[in-house]
Amino acid sequence: MKAIKKILLLFLVFALFISCLTHKSVDNTSVIGIAWRSDSDSEFYTNITKTLDDLNIPYVMVDQVVDYSLSYNDGTVSESCIDENGILLSNYAELIKSEVYSNSNIEEVINKNNFKAIIFTGGEDIAPTLLKTPEPWHGIEEEKDYNATRDISDYLLMSYCLDNNIPVIGFCRGSQMLGVVSGAGIIQDLKVYFNEQNVEYNAEHRNDIASVDSYRDYAPHDVKLIDDTKVKEIFDRDTLNNVPSWHHQVLTALDGTNLILAGYTDVNGITTVEIIERSDKDFAFGFQFHPEASYVKHLEDYPNKDDFLSQEDAAIIFKEIGKLL
């Protein structure tokens, strides 16, 4: 009898040991997801991956999310779904907003990896048809930069993450997508907006082109952090100095949403949204600027690295992401 009890005890210990190993194995597969984009050579993507690599934070690119109600050609949304400017047609945009991800491959995409958070990177302007109150495009030919295929993937992925408590963080376009999904509006061009207010604007948020063949670098400016926000608690300071900025659009109309203004910039009396967070989520943040650009400038010893946010400050939010693993 004692021998049987010993055998049972040994079996129980062995089973617990195997269970612990299995659980540990699952934890080891945890990664940070980077929202799908077709151009993985863009610095808006590579600066993120270089930062995560240097901080030893594991990541993978999330697969593209597609909506089965729309037609695609080799992974790109069909031309029948977009207008002459590349903007998602309003009827399809309304379909995306109403169906959200119910007719998509989102479950397959999410279940492929053990994502602990999703990062949404910078890039093209978001289709104005996807706004809660749709608008026509801004009409500025030199600023025409839309990607309906990515809009659909990002909108559905962001919506799913928010509905299922998957932590999200967006940079530039990614911050705007968090805002759009949450019901905010967008100022479609800052230069036009400042002119309409009769206020001087000197490209404080994105450098003008110096010459056709020159590199158009980020514009540094300060961001004021707002008390009693999670972002202020994370950074533990009043101001982020010289953040790298690269945008001509910005969020607006946060009232009536679950969004909180957590950081702002003031240019000649005009306040612009720089950091947002969702009041109903533990981890849902948007940064209109690019801390990853600062991190890489310091990492790779760029000559102008000291013109921008310090590497230590740039690393703070990425270390917060790493804590989610």
Side-chain angles (χ1 to χ4, degrees), residues 36-47:
W36 173 86
R37 57 186 301 152
S38 59
D39 56 339
S40 58
D41 58 342
S42 166
E43 69 178 281
F44 295 141
Y45 177 77
T46 59
N47 282 343

Side-chain angles (χ1 to χ4, degrees), residues 61-277:
M61 182 186 284
V62 181
D63 287 348
Q64 179 185 357
V65 183
V66 299
D67 189 292
Y68 297 133
S69 298
L70 282 71
S71 59
Y72 291 79
N73 294 318
D74 295 326
T76 301
V77 68
S78 171
E79 290 186 5
S80 63
C81 300
I82 61 177
D83 69 11
E84 66 276 11
N85 298 307
I87 297 171
L88 189 64
L89 290 171
S90 58
N91 57 317
Y92 292 110
E94 292 304 316
L95 188 65
I96 293 294
K97 288 186 282 186
S98 62
E99 289 187 350
V100 195
Y101 46 80
S102 63
N103 193 26
S104 74
N105 64 335
I106 188 68
E107 294 287 351
E108 177 186 345
V109 167
I110 290 296
N111 291 335
K112 189 173 180 179
N113 293 95
N114 185 15
F115 294 117
K116 293 301 183 182
I118 306 291
I119 296 173
F120 292 78
T121 60
E124 305 93 339
D125 294 344
I126 298 169
T129 52
L130 279 173
L131 297 176
K132 182 179 180 180
T133 302
E135 298 178 5
W137 80 293
H138 47 63
I140 308 170
E141 284 291 337
E142 60 268 27
E143 296 287 5
K144 187 166 64 177
D145 185 23
Y146 297 100
N147 185 336
T149 305
R150 189 178 175 200
D151 281 345
I152 295 166
S153 186
D154 278 356
Y155 192 98
L156 299 182
L157 180 59
M158 179 71 78
S159 299
Y160 183 90
C161 289
L162 292 173
D163 285 351
N164 291 276
N165 297 314
I166 299 173
V168 296
I169 185 164
F171 299 107
C172 200
R173 170 195 161 91
S175 179
Q176 292 173 6
M177 185 58 76
L178 173 59
V180 168
V181 170
S182 302
I186 283 183
I187 294 172
Q188 290 201 58
D189 187 76
L190 282 170
K191 186 180 293 186
V192 170
Y193 180 74
F194 271 75
N195 286 340
E196 290 174 346
Q197 312 302 314
N198 295 314
V199 175
E200 184 179 4
Y201 180 65
N202 295 305
E204 283 85 355
H205 292 275
R206 186 187 64 182
N207 285 333
D208 282 332
I209 298 175
S211 65
V212 175
D213 58 351
S214 66
Y215 175 70
R216 197 175 181 184
D217 208 345
Y218 298 85
H221 63 73
D222 295 347
V223 171
K224 298 289 186 181
L225 303 185
I226 295 177
D227 292 338
D228 301 320
T229 60
K230 294 173 185 175
V231 167
K232 177 71 176 287
E233 182 180 347
I234 289 170
F235 282 94
D236 191 28
R237 66 206 62 202
D238 295 323
T239 304
L240 295 178
N241 298 116
N242 299 319
V243 303
S245 184
W246 178 271
H247 62 99
H248 79 108
Q249 299 191 336
V250 70
L251 288 171
T252 186
L254 305 187
D255 292 346
T257 73
N258 287 320
L259 296 168
I260 293 175
L261 178 65
Y264 67 93
T265 293
D266 186 283
V267 176
N268 297 326
I270 298 290
T271 297
T272 56
V273 175
E274 290 291 337
I275 308 175
I276 55 172
E277 57 186 58

Side-chain angles (χ1 to χ4, degrees), residues 12-26:
L12 179 62
V13 170
F14 179 75
L16 287 172
F17 176 71
I18 294 298
S19 175
C20 288
L21 284 179
T22 304
H23 179 68
K24 186 175 182 180
S25 176
V26 170

